[in-house]
């Protein structure tokens, strides 16, 4: 019952330091490991599933998973609206029901591969998943509330509470009004045909097809329309593309194109290097972009020196779900590095060299899969 | 289509090196991070649930998650038996059905806190879960097959295939015959009332209540009774308590006692330090042991200098499920380190100093939760 040091009254800034970059060559820190142990990516072999099963979809949870009661949960809509509303989860379930397959990717995917490495959740390439989200469209609800003519942003507040870079907060993110009114945006209460799991935002979350994960506010409890640009931490400070700490930067929004290879053969436990037998081998994976449909995927088996076209499977799941691609390979014994590179209809593609920014956001550098082709 | 170096035919040993220890002070390596990004622990706030929800239970997958068809999956029982058997999943589902709550913990839990650190999956303290497993008891099936009088071990083989420390293998683990015939051992096909998820061994796995995770063979496809001690990699090489590489060591078997604190208050995003308000605060968590029932839990709020008894909640879920405990705390502003320490009916308890072995196994050093008590 005794404070370790009664005279040392801690200040929030002592438990919550500023952002930093790792020292050149430094390994992953204990703090980064704590995040990696609780959040997780998709095991890459799970790229085999069109729809990512529960528990294999990536997870990034800023604070703790809150515990909310679906029987009493309600969503408020207020601020610059004509008719503030409170709707229960049961009422939301009675509204028009829509199911969409949507690829979600963490804005920080790829961060741990950057040099220097921004110190945060240390993703390699696996912070992605493609699920089937069911809910009711947001736009009609906003229209019922009557968004003011001078509205600028729509602020979404979750029930998750924490402190980040010295700022105590409920997780809050705003969308520009035009983005919040897109017909694809959902208030989702089911994932893959079952009620949301606690870690995916139960009982209610936002789904903003095409945007990085930070926009898809989990544990959603209120929506507030504002007439000035929202200056909350997650919009104005955290999720911005900047080269140095003083740079105001530009907001992180839609998902840059990316392709991932489903690693062929079987792995070594520790290095995850793949062992493949010589001879015919179908290499496949998934590709997606939040800007425009993926129009091509190229594959390299020589660490990016040369590229060959892959075959894109038919797209049946709409513009915001990943698409399978495949490539027929027939390697001789030797060592290879496999990569895939997606290009979308907007002309965006993936760089081979790292696109660096201080948060490590929207980084879509191509994946490298080390393969040893060894006879049986 | 060209090998990077045609003259360099890779050998299995080049992709799969020997075990090693980290250099003093070295951060987590890229290889360890790859494992941490795909496997994951329980987010500690999920200690609130009696039964760990899907996707929050810890996962340790040595190779890749295999894809098996439940409609055609069958289990063979052969070796030193009178009547070799093949049973389909449908036939197993028609046999007597049992549901048990069982705490599973990875044998390597706590490894990343050791110095020097064994280089493998870098767990902190979170490699645990408590699920409801449904299946049919193994012992009657073995008795139907007729285990030979001179049988020594029962070998369980999964469908997951990989290479580990130079040894290509399907994941295989043996239990001594007497342990395999324990009435609590299950052939499980459901978890928390639903068919097994791919990552938890779909469509069939072994559950060995009280033992560390490596015994609960996932994606189970065959059982073979042998009359000599099994010398497979996971029994004879991997899961052994040894001080140096030449030491044959002793097998890792049952779970050592451990208590975990559900971190109170709310977290800082990066450091995971907890912020708590001054005044009354119920601290709680879970405790378990695979050797004998937990009989006491003590709590320290001063980094292990002094300990006070916690209250153990009633045990309703059998001897192999974790048990809730709680402790009423009323801190003044200051800095604290919370820990909990479980003792079981066999007299085993948790050390404050690290119990070191080369694999980092069965390490139940007490958890440290850093808390800052800060007025609102």
């Amino acid at each position: 019952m005794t404070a370790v040091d009664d005279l040392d009254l801690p200040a929030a800034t002592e438990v919550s330091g500023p952002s930093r970059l790792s020292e050149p060559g430094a390994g992953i820190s204990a703090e980064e490991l704590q995040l990696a142990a609780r959040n997780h990516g998709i095991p890459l072999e799970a790229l085999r599933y069109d729809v990512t099963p529960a528990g294999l979809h990536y997870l990034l949870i800023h604070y703790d998973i809150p515990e909310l009661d679906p029987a009493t949960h309600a969503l408020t809509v207020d601020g610059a609206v004509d008719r503030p509303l409170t709707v229960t989860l049961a009422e939301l379930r009675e509204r028009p029901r829509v199911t969409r397959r949507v690829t979600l990717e963490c804005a920080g995917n790829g961060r741990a591969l950057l040099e220097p490495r921004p110190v945060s959740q240390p993703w390699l390439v696996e912070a992605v998943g493609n699920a089937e989200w069911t809910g009711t469209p947001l736009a009609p609800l906003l229209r019922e509330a009557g968004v003011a003519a001078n509205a600028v942003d729509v602020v979404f507040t979750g029930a998750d509470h924490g402190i980040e870079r010295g700022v105590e907060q409920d997780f809050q993110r705003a969308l520009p009004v035009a983005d919040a009114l897109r017909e694809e945006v959902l208030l989702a209460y089911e994932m893959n045909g079952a009620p949301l799991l606690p870690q995916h935002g139960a009982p209610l979350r936002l789904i903003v097809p095409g945007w990085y994960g930070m926009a898809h506010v989990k544990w959603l409890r209120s929506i507030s329309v504002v007439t000035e640009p929202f200056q909350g931490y997650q919009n104005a400070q955290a999720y911005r593309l900047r080269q140095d700490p003083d740079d105001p930067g530009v907001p992180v929004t839609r998902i840059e194109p990316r392709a991932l290879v489903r690693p062929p053969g079987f792995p070594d436990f520790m290095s995850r290097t793949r062992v493949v037998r010589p001879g015919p081998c179908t290499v496949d994976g998934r590709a997606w972009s939040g800007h425009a449909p993926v129009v091509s995927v190229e594959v390299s088996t020589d660490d990016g020196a040369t590229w060959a076209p892959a075959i894109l499977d038919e797209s049946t799941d709409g513009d915001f779900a990943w698409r399978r691609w495949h490539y027929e390979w027939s390697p001789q014994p030797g060592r290879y590095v496999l990569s895939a590179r997606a290009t979308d209809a907007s002309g965006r593609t993936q760089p081979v060299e790292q696109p660096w920014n201080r948060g490590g956001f929207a980084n879509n550098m191509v994946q490298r899969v080390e393969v040893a082709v060894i006879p049986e």
Side-chain angles (χ1 to χ4, degrees), chain A:
Chain A
M1 302 279 201
T2 309
V4 170
D5 180 351
D6 278 335
L7 299 176
D8 175 22
L9 189 69
T13 51
E14 290 176 47
V15 302
S16 187
S19 69
R20 66 183 185 91
L21 304 176
S22 65
E23 295 297 316
I28 297 293
S29 65
E31 291 197 340
E32 289 165 292
L33 179 60
Q34 284 191 92
L35 288 174
R38 53 179 277 119
N39 297 307
H40 66 89
I42 189 172
L44 293 177
E45 66 272 27
L47 293 170
R48 75 163 73 101
Y49 305 107
D50 286 340
V51 173
T52 309
L56 297 180
H57 194 286
Y58 98 90
L59 273 185
L60 189 283
I61 294 166
H62 280 243
Y63 315 125
D64 283 358
I65 299 167
E67 190 167 28
L68 301 175
D69 181 357
T72 59
H73 191 72
L75 175 70
T76 58
V77 181
D78 60 18
V81 295
D82 300 331
R83 292 167 294 277
L85 302 172
T86 298
V87 279
T88 65
L89 188 67
E91 288 166 341
L92 287 171
R93 284 182 160 273
E94 284 165 15
R95 296 177 65 91
R97 179 182 167 92
V98 174
T99 297
R100 284 186 201 287
R101 290 192 181 176
V102 178
T103 297
L104 263 63
E105 183 177 8
C106 185
N109 201 12
R111 178 186 289 125
L113 297 169
L114 298 179
E115 290 182 12
R117 183 179 74 247
V119 174
S120 184
Q121 165 72 33
W123 293 123
L124 297 163
V125 296
E126 63 293 281
V128 69
N130 186 63
E132 210 163 72
W133 302 97
T134 298
T136 193
L138 171 64
L141 193 73
L142 287 177
R143 284 195 291 264
E144 283 171 38
V147 174
N150 63 338
V152 171
D153 280 348
V154 181
V155 182
F156 300 89
T157 303
D160 43 333
H161 186 86
I163 184 168
E164 200 164 342
R165 312 301 181 204
V167 182
E168 188 179 332
Q169 57 194 286
D170 290 341
F171 188 90
Q172 283 193 310
R173 276 279 306 183
L175 286 174
V177 167
D179 292 292
L181 288 172
R182 278 174 58 212
E183 63 164 342
E184 299 92 351
V185 175
L186 291 185
L187 297 167
Y189 45 74
E190 291 180 12
M191 177 186 181
N192 297 354
L196 291 182
L197 292 165
Q199 65 270 35
H200 287 294
L204 188 68
R205 74 176 298 173
L206 194 64
I207 293 291
V208 187
W211 284 54
Y212 280 114
M214 76 283 153
H216 305 240
V217 177
K218 298 190 283 286
W219 311 293
L220 183 65
R221 60 177 182 75
S222 82
I223 298 176
S224 195
V225 178
V226 295
T227 56
E228 298 288 338
F230 179 64
Q231 294 300 318
Y233 176 84
Q234 303 296 345
N235 279 76
Q237 292 184 57
Y239 287 101
R240 300 190 78 88
L241 305 172
R242 51 166 71 97
Q243 291 300 310
D244 64 71
D246 302 327
D247 179 1
V250 298
V252 177
T253 59
R254 287 177 181 259
I255 299 173
E256 296 297 313
R258 190 192 291 270
L260 285 180
V261 176
R262 180 167 71 100
F266 57 85
D268 173 54
F269 169 70
M270 192 64 226
S271 67
R272 303 300 300 173
T273 298
R274 311 299 300 193
V275 177
V276 169
R277 301 300 179 207
C281 169
T282 300
V283 176
D284 68 3
R286 304 282 170 171
W288 62 91
S289 169
H291 290 280
V294 169
V295 292
S296 72
V297 171
E298 298 158 283
V299 169
S300 172
T301 61
D302 55 10
D303 207 2
T306 63
W307 296 85
I311 295 169
L312 264 179
D313 289 9
E314 206 174 337
S315 165
T316 54
D317 293 340
D319 287 349
F320 300 105
W322 64 23
R323 202 162 153 188
R324 184 175 178 269
W325 57 265
H326 67 278
Y327 175 80
E328 299 303 330
W329 190 36
S330 191
Q332 300 294 311
R335 300 169 160 283
Y336 302 82
V337 175
L338 304 190
S339 299
R341 182 167 69 180
T343 300
D344 72 18
S346 76
R348 289 174 172 86
T349 188
Q350 291 184 250
V352 177
E353 300 289 320
Q354 67 171 18
W356 193 90
N357 58 75
R358 204 179 148 87
F361 294 124
N363 158 30
N364 62 339
M365 184 167 60
V366 297
Q367 176 195 19
R368 296 178 73 257
V369 179
E370 296 194 20
V371 176
V373 177
I374 306 178
E376 201 139 4

